[in-house]
Amino acid sequence: MSETIKALHKEAAKCADEIKKYRSIHVVSHIDADGLTSAGIICTALQRGGFEYTTRFVKQLDEKALDAIADENHSIVIFTDLGSGMCEQIKSRGIHAVISDHHQPQGSHQFHLNPHLFGANGSYELSGSGTTYLLASALGKNQDLSSLAIVGAVGDMQHLKMGQLVGVNREILEDGVRGNILQFKKDLTLFGKQTRPIYKLMQYSSDPYLPGLTGSEEACIEFLHSLNISLSQDEHWRRWIDLEISEKQKIVSGLIQYCLKSGMPSYKIERLIGEVYILLGEKEGTEMRDASEFSTLLNATARYDHAEIGLAVCMGNREEAYEGARKLLAEHRQNLVNGLIYVKEKGVIQLENIQYFDAGSEIKETIVGIIAGMSSTLVENRNLPIIAFAKAEGGTKVSARGTQDLIRRGVNLSEAMSIVSAEVGGVGGGHDIAAGATIPDGKKEEFARKLDLFIGEQLRRKTHSKQRDQPSEVCSEKLN
Ligand code: C5P
Ligand code: C5P
Ligand code: ZN
């Protein structure tokens, strides 16, 4: 066991001991897949432990949300998938709290389970649901909840950096494999393998964008016909899971050939294959069987003010809550398609170091970040972070998405959003690769200009520090 995970387990045990002093607990979590799975994990663990609990889901933990929580005088509050950015504000309001989160910490807290504090990176080595799984493990026997921890990590796209889950996430995955809860394998990464007709996997593929196939039902059907794959059986569309291994292999090679012919760079083609995560306890052909489909199902609930439905699904409801979630999923999909069409038609404004679009009220602020991330395949210049603005209650929501390459070159969107939003009277934070903020109305252009300069500075800082490092590298080379 690594030093990091040992230290995390120790902190989890300390937090669990604090929780055990109380019978009634308030859980506050975030309205996305990672937040819902975090809440699902902790609420199940509390229920099993005989605790009473209440829940609250917030878009972000701002001063207003904290005031409302403080007003309720809870004896103890567990913050999951949020809280780390608001340590001081939590303390100053006298809220007695345990924080289980993976966002970059600002300030400090006595009961604070966060990978960044123990030598792990919270943007790809451990998610909010992962920290909360460690907390649940310290509260009791909860190995089965490893499946939700993996769904949360995949929902936050933590598997993308290395093409597989790594770090503490991997240890949790292995826990799940040992318990026969989870399975991982190399497979096609396209979305919808459990539930959708095969041609739709290509039609809706945005990462990688398949030129000539993405967006065209007809071309996708034709492509599969050209490979002699039958699309339906007994009047039902065949899904990826219905195919024989040989058919799957034929499609994968066909797709690779197709992408090579269209001149796609190999690093993009490689993204067609990756590690995928299966929840063995779930029925085949349902969203919950596949970590990625499960996380999208959850996003479709909480991001539309229906966190209670997503939480119920996380806690095992496969009847009315699941049916409700599927209805919301159909609407969510349509909203994503419409959002992408909007960005494509409207285009992005390019500054020196960033590019941005303003969705106004056309895209809901709770999904504008997802669309910003997906729209990276539509823009000409993938080397600039994408910033999206959307109208929110009492201000403007900003979402920022970067790439691994930008991070290597010195960009840290969390730092940039936090500092620049404060300069215009807003608040922000998040991760190096994906961050967000809320800023006052009427500040968009000023914010974009300032952010552009700030990110330019981050890039220069890195270039300079590299140059400074160079002489010593040369020196040490000579010495050796
Ligand atoms: O609040 P939270 O940490 O859960 O959200 C992280 C966000 O970052 C998610 O919306 C996730 O989709 C996004 N992300 C991304 N690209 C990555 C990693 C995360 O867009 N490579
Ligand atoms: O909302 P969005 O998906 O763009 O958020 C990206 C990341 O930034 C998430 O991890 C979210 O928790 C974080 N964020 C934040 N403060 C905000 C808005 C978003 O820390 N005001
Ligand atoms: Zn998260």
Side-chain angles (χ1 to χ4, degrees):
M1 203 189 277
S2 72
E3 286 308 311
T4 297
I5 191 144
K6 263 192 224 156
L8 279 162
H9 277 304
K10 202 168 152 208
E11 182 71 14
K14 186 179 112 190
C15 293
D17 285 343
E18 189 58 25
I19 293 167
K20 283 179 195 159
K21 293 182 188 160
Y22 302 86
R23 291 325 299 161
S24 169
I25 286 129
H26 191 54
V27 174
V28 178
S29 197
H30 194 209
I31 55 146
D32 68 358
D34 192 28
L36 276 176
T37 47
S38 301
I41 290 169
I42 195 66
C43 293
T44 306
L46 291 173
Q47 201 172 50
R48 287 174 183 170
F51 298 84
E52 279 173 26
Y53 67 86
T54 50
T55 56
R56 171 196 298 259
F57 289 89
V58 295
K59 282 182 201 158
Q60 68 244 0
L61 195 64
D62 51 19
E63 305 266 347
K64 208 172 130 207
L66 279 175
D67 284 341
I69 296 163
D71 279 350
E72 291 175 354
N73 284 319
H74 298 283
S75 44
I76 188 162
V77 179
I78 307 179
F79 290 99
T80 61
D81 193 33
L82 37 72
S84 291
M86 297 294 268
C87 292
E88 302 306 320
Q89 293 87 336
I90 290 171
K91 283 188 294 194
S92 70
R93 282 171 176 79
I95 300 171
H96 183 45
V98 165
I99 302 173
S100 168
D101 188 11
H102 67 130
H103 293 92
Q104 291 193 352
Q106 291 174 32
S108 63
H109 196 275
Q110 191 184 357
F111 303 104
H112 194 180
L113 192 58
N114 183 313
H116 293 286
L117 302 174
F118 301 96
N121 187 318
S123 71
Y124 67 98
E125 293 178 306
L126 193 61
S127 63
S129 56
T131 57
T132 309
Y133 173 70
L134 300 181
L135 183 58
S137 305
L139 281 167
K141 256 181 75 96
N142 288 304
Q143 193 190 36
D144 57 324
L145 302 178
S146 54
S147 57
L148 288 177
I150 297 311
V151 172
V154 168
D156 269 8
M157 307 193 183
Q158 299 214 331
H159 59 309
L160 294 186
K161 186 180 165 82
M162 303 294 188
Q164 60 178 43
L165 288 169
V166 298
V168 191
N169 277 329
R170 188 109 213 137
E171 307 210 22
I172 296 176
L173 174 66
E174 281 162 8
D175 226 8
V177 170
R178 272 191 298 275
N180 220 13
I181 311 290
L182 285 161
Q183 184 192 53
F184 61 88
K185 59 179 180 191
K186 280 250 174 306
D187 202 347
L188 186 71
T189 51
L190 301 187
F191 183 85
K193 292 186 288 295
Q194 291 290 326
T195 60
R196 317 190 81 183
I198 335 157
Y199 69 86
K200 284 207 192 276
L201 271 54
M202 285 147 240
Q203 187 186 340
Y204 289 106
S205 172
S206 64
D207 186 27
Y209 184 91
L210 305 169
L213 293 177
T214 300
S216 169
E217 179 180 292
E218 209 185 322
C220 295
I221 291 178
E222 176 51 38
F223 172 78
L224 291 167
H225 276 156
S226 75
L227 297 173
N228 284 324
I229 304 287
S230 52
L231 292 178
S232 59
Q233 195 171 17
D234 307 331
E235 303 199 358
H236 282 292
W237 289 114
R238 295 174 80 209
R239 303 157 299 183
W240 186 255
I241 52 166
D242 300 320
L243 302 180
E244 304 289 335
I245 288 277
S246 59
E247 292 177 301
K248 291 182 184 173
Q249 260 150 10
K250 218 194 274 181
I251 297 178
V252 168
S253 343
L255 272 175
I256 293 174
Q257 290 300 325
Y258 180 93
C259 292
L260 281 170
K261 260 194 221 142
S262 23
M264 195 188 285
S266 55
Y267 76 90
K268 275 195 191 171
I269 301 179
E270 280 163 17
R271 286 211 289 265
L272 280 168
I273 302 297
E275 197 168 82
V276 304
Y277 306 96
I278 310 289
L279 278 69
L280 295 171
E282 301 291 345
K283 206 164 136 196
E284 263 208 274
T286 66
E287 292 80 1
M288 289 79 65
R289 179 91 176 173
D290 173 280
S292 176
E293 288 200 63
F294 197 164
S295 75
T296 300
L297 182 78
L298 295 176
N299 273 323
T301 65
R303 289 183 189 264
Y304 297 85
D305 292 322
H306 286 296
E308 75 294 347
I309 296 185
L311 179 62
V313 174
C314 285
M315 295 182 76
N317 184 313
R318 297 292 174 265
E319 284 107 37
E320 29 358 320
Y322 173 49
E323 280 314 312
R326 288 189 62 188
K327 284 202 188 100
L328 290 166
L329 178 62
E331 290 168 27
H332 179 49
R333 273 197 188 128
Q334 194 54 53
N335 290 338
L336 294 183
V337 170
N338 293 348
L340 283 170
I341 292 173
Y342 175 86
V343 179
K344 195 168 182 181
E345 283 176 357
K346 194 155 178 235
V348 294
I349 297 168
Q350 203 168 313
L351 303 183
E352 204 174 325
N353 303 298
I354 61 168
Q355 53 194 330
Y356 70 93
F357 66 88
D358 180 7
S361 306
E362 297 295 315
I363 300 175
K364 203 171 153 59
E365 50 134 341
T366 50
I367 62 161
V368 79
I370 302 182
I371 292 172
M374 292 172 90
S375 65
S376 67
T377 50
L378 299 176
V379 297
E380 273 169 38
N381 191 346
R382 265 185 49 86
N383 293 321
L384 298 178
I386 299 179
I387 316 300
F389 294 103
K391 178 93 202 75
E393 212 184 276
T396 301
K397 170 70 197 293
V398 196
S399 279
R401 295 292 186 271
T403 61
Q404 293 303 337
D405 191 42
L406 284 164
I407 290 164
R408 267 194 300 278
R409 287 166 45 211
V411 171
N412 181 337
L413 293 174
S414 171
E415 183 198 43
M417 294 295 269
S418 156
I419 292 175
V420 181
S421 65
E423 281 177 20
V424 301
V427 280
H431 308 287
D432 50 9
I433 198 159
T438 306
I439 58 170
D441 282 327
K443 296 279 187 186
K444 278 181 281 213
E445 274 76 25
E446 182 189 346
F447 179 85
R449 270 197 317 277
K450 287 194 154 132
L451 188 69
D452 187 44
L453 292 176
F454 194 92
I455 292 197
E457 199 45 51
Q458 286 184 332
L459 290 163
R460 264 190 299 281
R461 241 194 280 160
K462 178 78 175 197
T463 319
H464 285 153
S465 70
K466 253 197 198 152
Q467 280 167 356
R468 268 205 312 277
D469 289 348
Q470 263 167 8
S472 61
E473 275 170 23
V474 174
C475 255
S476 62
E477 252 173 38
K478 275 186 190 153
L479 282 174
N480 287 328

